[in-house]
Amino acid sequence: MSPRTILLSEDDTVLIQVGPRGPQAANENIPQSIESFLTTQFRNYFAAHEGRLPPDGLYERVLARFEKPLIAETLKATGGNQLRAAAVLGINRNTLRKKMRALSIDPHTGDAA
C-alpha cells in the first residue's frame, strides 16, 4: 500500500494530509520517497491554481517551510550536537548556527524559540 496524499491550497498556504502507509514503509529508500512525495505535492500545488501561476516568491516560501523542521529534527536526532547535525545536513557549523538564529530554533532543544 502506498501513501495517500491530499493537498489543499488557499492562496499561498498549503496543507498536506498523508494517509495510512503499508507495512513496507519501513523498507523504503528515504531520499527517493521524499523526492517522490515532494514531486507529487508540487504537481498538485500547481494544478490547484487551475492554470494560473502561484504568487511570486515560491522558492523562498518552500525553502522556509522545509528548512526549519529539517534543521530542528536533525538537532533532535543528534541530541543537540550541532557539529554532528551540521555534518548530517552537509553544512558547516557556523552556517547551521546562523540558520538556527534566523529560524528561531533553540540551540539546546531544536524547538522553535
Side-chain angles (χ1 to χ4, degrees):
M1 176 185 291
S2 63
R4 293 181 311 168
T5 306
I6 300 170
L7 178 79
L8 306 171
S9 175
E10 287 184 25
D11 299 324
D12 65 346
T13 302
V14 178
L15 304 172
I16 300 171
Q17 178 181 355
V18 180
R21 298 176 67 91
Q24 84 284 3
N27 298 325
E28 289 181 357
N29 177 327
I30 297 301
Q32 181 57 45
S33 67
I34 290 171
E35 184 176 344
S36 296
F37 175 79
L38 290 173
T39 297
T40 299
Q41 295 310 306
F42 292 133
R43 283 183 186 151
N44 291 339
Y45 180 75
F46 281 103
H49 283 82
E50 300 174 344
R52 294 175 291 119
L53 291 175
D56 291 350
L58 178 61
Y59 182 80
E60 289 299 321
R61 287 193 309 275
V62 168
L63 283 183
R65 296 288 174 107
F66 184 81
E67 193 172 39
K68 187 170 187 171
L70 174 63
I71 291 172
E73 292 305 315
T74 303
L75 280 166
K76 289 176 187 176
T78 61
N81 183 323
Q82 295 176 25
L83 193 57
R84 183 68 187 125
V88 168
L89 292 167
I91 60 179
N92 70 47
R93 189 171 141 253
N94 290 335
T95 299
L96 174 62
R97 291 176 62 80
K98 179 180 175 186
K99 289 180 179 292
M100 289 167 53
R101 280 191 302 278
L103 297 168
S104 300
I105 296 173
D106 185 289
H108 303 292
T109 65
D111 293 327

